[in-house]
Amino acid sequence: MQEPDHKAPTRHDGRIIIHFDYDCFYAAVFEAESPVLKSLPLAVQQKQIIVTCNYEARKRGLHKLQLIREAKKVCPEVIIVLGEDLTRFRNASKELYAFLRGYSWNEKVERLGFDEVFLDVTDMIDYNLELLNPHDLPSSWFHLDRDDPCRGFAYDATATFGHTFSATNNRSDANSNPVPTSSSLSESGDVLECRLRLGSHLAGHLRVQLEEQKGYSSTVGISTNKLISKLVGNLYKPKGQTTLLPPYVSRSEGEGSSVMQFVDAHEIGKIPGIGFKLAQKIREHILSREAVFDAGLVYGRTKEKVTVKEVRLHPGMGPELLESVLGGPGSTKGIGMKIWGLLHGVDDTEVGKARDVPRQISIEDSYIRLDNMEEVRKELILLAKSLIRRMHMDLVEVDEDDDLSGKDDEQVMQADKSNAPRRWLAHPRTLRLTTRPRPPLNLDGSRSRSFKRISRSSPMPTFIFSLTESVDAIAEKLLTDALIPSFRKLHPKPSGWNLSLVNIAATNMSETASDEKHGAGRDIGKMFRRQDDVLKQWRVEDVEPSIEDGSHEPFTPQDRASPRPEFVALDGLLNVSKGSEDTLQATQESSLADDIWDSDHDQLDLGDTCNVCGSIMPSFAMAAHERFHVLPD
């Protein structure tokens, strides 16, 4: 049997990735609404637990996922606010995301949940690296705009902004590595370090602007991939940032890698991309038994830590062994190689492009016990209403062009946009229902923890896209026509399911036509509706003489048949021309007489006469006509 290849995966460190994590986000949203709360212990409640609390509350012994009754005993003066309605958090997350996206050049800005954002700033760093003056690095200028050299900030390119981590100095508040010079910048390690330094200054600038302009503090990590940037940012919380400095690869036998030294110390379940189930299987393989879990509220919290280093150096460990341990029905193809890469700090996944439309909209709730149809119907109707409201919030826009077309500027300013027509930005094609039933009791009366979810998908009913019916009416139809039938197929038994979670989701988004670059083509309907305004200045209309003031004689068909006196001479001249292809035909003459010559201009342009053939035509056409005469036969 061939020995598995235990070599570390190849690294690709050409990118600069910044990871933002807003500090105590749910609590920070309430603090932004009421700044006085910043100096007080504040906790956000969902159901009977604290989902988050500010750092003032943490100083007094409170923490996430703590029961409300326990929190009040520990800190009686704590201010508890309800966070069941996620609307305020969702709106704040969108606002902060739009703010950070405004600094991106390549639109690679990916949101993770409500409170995390990845930015790929490689293009900005490389552009500014080219502009560095190696003879005056302390007085450098970071350009935030290619077209506006004045938009930017001054920085010292010889130092790293914020904290650092490296194999040579471990954690530190200041960078002690040698300053790069013009000669040393040719070495790949020094170039990488310089690029990371530039990234740290950009991250620091964005972090300061985010707090000054929006009132939210954040913790930031800077590295060359999403995995490391997310992990390294956790070293200094809150309001801190950390850059993982080279060497990213061991240059000699005695010199370690910053990446491996940093990643090795993490518990296997803390690595992004290794979820609870995978971490559980890895622990069981390393320990040769099931890991002991905490009996608290937090699913997946283990009392036994298995570090990355222990897994990586375990006898026989490699991508093949990981594939055999983690593979099987339903597993991702190549899962062994992927996890082997994560254990070495290798993550080549791209930062997603900024999206105006979410990939899916999901609503869920957890329960102590959901066990009969009456309870299920009650919860499904609540979830359905929340889903429809979310769809209206995230997938519907006011079609201002329809509402304001044909109106002047003053009317546009006074228009009531709340009554404007609305349009869908995208249509989700699939409706998915997911539940999580608890397993039955064991013989000893205990119950094994289960994290297994079961799902069923069906086509999204078209009536859900109605913008005229009420949310309650649509939710009732969605319940009876789609959700209940799907639920009965998931759970054929009439009762006794003991559900701990129910989730409904709108997925498989299909973007509609739009004038924006992210849309699925041009919105031809909107184009036709707007064409009257666009073409207004070129429109030709027949205007009948007014007889209301008595100053004009009634206009009769006979008047149209006989030319008016001032045009008799012109008609005669037009009849003189013979054989020219530029001569106006009879239908064209009628059009000109009716639509052009009856203008209100002070002077009337009757055209020019050709000196060769005597044809009369508009002045703008004479040059082309004269060239016709000089062409060879």
Side-chain angles (χ1 to χ4, degrees):
M1 179 175 164
Q2 184 179 357
E3 282 291 315
D5 184 5
H6 295 169
K7 291 193 303 183
T10 303
R11 298 197 58 83
H12 303 96
D13 293 317
R15 299 177 296 166
I16 300 296
I17 309 296
I18 301 176
H19 173 258
F20 280 83
D21 185 357
Y22 310 135
D23 296 323
C24 309
F25 179 63
Y26 280 18
V29 172
F30 286 101
E31 290 176 346
E33 295 174 359
S34 302
V36 67
L37 294 174
K38 291 185 177 183
S39 59
L40 302 174
L42 175 68
V44 181
Q45 174 184 352
Q46 288 183 358
K47 297 189 181 297
Q48 294 302 314
I49 62 173
I50 292 176
V51 292
T52 191
C53 54
N54 64 4
Y55 281 94
E56 191 63 34
R58 297 184 189 191
K59 292 177 183 177
R60 308 186 189 197
L62 303 189
H63 56 81
K64 290 182 180 179
L65 303 180
Q66 189 176 27
L67 290 172
I68 293 296
R69 63 173 181 269
E70 294 178 2
K72 290 182 177 179
K73 290 179 181 178
V74 174
C75 182
E77 66 274 19
V78 63
I79 298 173
I80 299 177
V81 292
L82 292 177
E84 297 281 354
D85 184 3
L86 301 181
T87 302
R88 54 165 39 94
F89 310 127
R90 187 176 297 112
N91 292 341
S93 178
K94 288 182 179 179
E95 180 183 0
L96 300 183
Y97 174 75
F99 177 81
L100 293 175
R101 180 180 175 181
Y103 285 91
S104 175
W105 290 1
N106 55 20
E107 288 288 294
K108 291 185 178 181
V109 187
E110 181 180 350
R111 184 167 56 178
L112 183 63
F114 283 166
D115 59 345
E116 296 183 48
V117 175
F118 288 101
L119 280 81
D120 185 333
V121 296
T122 306
D123 52 349
M124 299 180 72
I125 299 304
D126 289 343
Y127 179 82
N128 282 276
L129 184 66
E130 292 293 327
L131 298 179
L132 275 181
N133 179 3
H135 303 292
D136 192 15
L137 292 175
S139 303
S140 300
W141 178 262
F142 197 102
H143 295 258
L144 295 173
D145 192 326
R146 292 189 183 97
D147 301 323
D148 184 1
C150 295
R151 184 170 178 248
F153 58 91
Y155 71 103
D156 181 0
T158 66
T160 306
F161 190 98
H163 305 281
T164 64
F165 183 102
S166 72
T168 55
N169 65 345
N170 208 324
R171 300 188 190 188
S172 73
D173 294 338
N175 183 23
S176 59
N177 289 319
V179 175
T181 62
S182 57
S183 58
S184 65
L185 281 175
S186 60
E187 300 179 15
S188 59
D190 291 313
V191 171
L192 175 58
E193 182 172 335
C194 192
R195 295 173 77 239
L196 288 166
R197 283 179 173 171
L198 267 63
S200 74
H201 285 282
L202 174 59
H205 177 78
L206 296 182
R207 191 163 56 85
V208 170
Q209 295 301 311
L210 188 69
E211 185 168 7
E212 290 182 352
Q213 297 188 35
K214 299 297 180 180
Y216 291 83
S217 65
S218 58
T219 301
V220 175
I222 304 97
S223 187
T224 59
N225 62 41
K226 293 167 69 174
L227 168 68
I228 303 299
S229 63
K230 178 176 170 62
L231 282 178
V232 78
N234 293 328
L235 290 180
Y236 294 92
K237 283 191 170 186
K239 298 179 66 173
Q241 71 173 64
T242 310
T243 305
L244 188 73
L245 294 176
Y248 276 29
V249 179
S250 298
R251 297 173 182 171
S252 62
E253 187 174 344
E255 183 182 29
S257 161
S258 297
V259 173
M260 294 314 307
Q261 183 175 333
F262 174 69
V263 175
D264 274 349
H266 285 77
E267 208 279 329
I268 188 67
K270 297 292 185 180
I271 302 299
I274 301 180
F276 168 75
K277 292 181 181 179
L278 297 180
Q280 188 179 23
K281 291 181 179 180
I282 294 174
R283 291 190 194 102
E284 290 178 1
H285 179 79
I286 300 300
L287 299 173
S288 299
R289 57 175 173 79
E290 289 189 6
V292 179
F293 286 92
D294 194 340
L297 289 172
V298 184
Y299 281 3
R301 178 178 289 173
T302 176
K303 292 183 177 179
E304 296 181 288
K305 291 185 177 182
V306 175
T307 65
V308 171
K309 185 174 183 179
E310 291 174 321
V311 176
R312 192 170 55 81
L313 299 181
H314 188 76
M317 184 56 65
E320 292 85 358
L321 179 56
L322 287 170
E323 188 73 37
S324 65
V325 172
L326 306 176
S331 63
T332 305
K333 184 179 180 181
I335 186 67
M337 182 58 73
K338 176 185 175 183
I339 300 302
W340 185 244
L342 296 179
L343 296 178
H344 289 80
V346 174
D347 177 19
D348 293 332
T349 56
E350 294 287 335
V351 175
K353 284 274 190 176
R355 293 174 58 90
D356 294 299
V357 174
R359 289 183 173 85
Q360 69 173 25
I361 297 177
S362 176
I363 303 290
E364 70 178 33
D365 205 348
S366 56
Y367 311 94
I368 299 299
R369 186 182 183 93
L370 202 59
D371 215 21
N372 61 67
M373 202 63 202
E374 183 180 354
E375 295 174 348
V376 168
R377 290 181 65 93
K378 179 181 176 182
E379 297 304 324
L380 283 178
I381 194 67
L382 293 175
L383 293 175
K385 291 178 182 179
S386 296
L387 179 69
I388 295 167
R389 293 191 186 99
R390 277 282 309 278
M391 289 173 61
H392 286 186
M393 181 182 299
D394 294 346
L395 302 180
V396 176
E397 71 171 358
V398 174
D399 199 352
E400 297 183 1
D401 288 333
D402 287 349
D403 184 44
L404 306 176
S405 59
K407 298 182 180 180
D408 57 29
D409 292 341
E410 184 176 354
Q411 290 174 313
V412 170
M413 294 296 294
Q414 296 176 354
D416 181 6
K417 295 185 180 181
S418 63
N419 296 324
R422 296 178 294 165
R423 62 182 293 270
W424 288 91
L425 295 171
H427 293 119
R429 297 176 179 175
T430 305
L431 177 67
R432 187 184 67 220
L433 173 66
T434 304
T435 63
R436 186 176 66 196
R438 288 189 176 89
L441 291 175
N442 300 321
L443 295 177
D444 60 358
S446 63
R447 191 190 306 274
S448 301
R449 285 192 170 182
S450 173
F451 308 96
K452 182 179 180 181
R453 299 186 180 197
I454 55 176
S455 302
R456 185 170 185 87
S457 297
S458 60
M460 180 68 73
T462 56
F463 60 75
I464 201 172
F465 302 118
S466 172
L467 295 175
T468 56
E469 289 189 79
S470 67
V471 170
D472 291 351
I474 298 174
E476 287 288 348
K477 292 175 67 176
L478 189 66
L479 177 70
T480 57
D481 293 3
L483 294 176
I484 293 297
S486 293
F487 184 86
R488 293 192 185 279
K489 291 179 180 178
L490 276 177
H491 304 283
K493 294 182 180 180
S495 61
W497 317 294
N498 194 5
L499 303 179
S500 61
L501 179 142
V502 177
N503 173 291
I504 58 175
T507 67
N508 195 12
M509 296 291 177
S510 175
E511 296 191 35
T512 59
S514 169
D515 290 334
E516 303 297 330
K517 61 183 179 181
H518 64 270
R522 295 288 302 277
D523 186 349
I524 193 169
K526 181 182 289 188
M527 182 180 70
F528 278 121
R529 291 192 296 271
R530 295 176 57 192
Q531 71 176 356
D532 285 344
D533 285 342
V534 174
L535 301 177
K536 186 175 183 179
Q537 57 181 317
W538 294 289
R539 184 181 298 129
V540 178
E541 297 178 349
D542 289 331
V543 180
E544 300 292 347
S546 173
I547 60 175
E548 293 180 359
D549 57 1
S551 60
H552 294 81
E553 293 294 330
F555 186 77
T556 65
Q558 289 78 10
D559 295 325
R560 184 179 294 277
S562 57
R564 281 165 284 184
E566 59 267 31
F567 294 121
V568 172
L570 177 61
D571 288 339
L573 288 173
L574 286 173
N575 290 332
V576 172
S577 63
K578 299 182 183 294
S580 172
E581 295 179 358
D582 294 311
T583 302
L584 298 175
Q585 302 300 315
T587 55
Q588 294 172 306
E589 295 169 17
S590 174
S591 175
L592 284 172
D594 290 339
D595 297 327
I596 297 181
W597 304 147
D598 287 338
S599 66
D600 295 328
H601 295 168
D602 294 335
Q603 296 182 354
L604 187 64
D605 183 6
L606 297 181
D608 293 336
T609 302
C610 177
N611 296 325
V612 178
C613 65
S615 296
I616 297 178
M617 62 197 64
S619 302
F620 67 84
M622 183 56 66
H625 177 75
E626 290 176 346
R627 287 197 297 272
F628 167 77
H629 284 295
V630 301
L631 291 175
D633 295 334

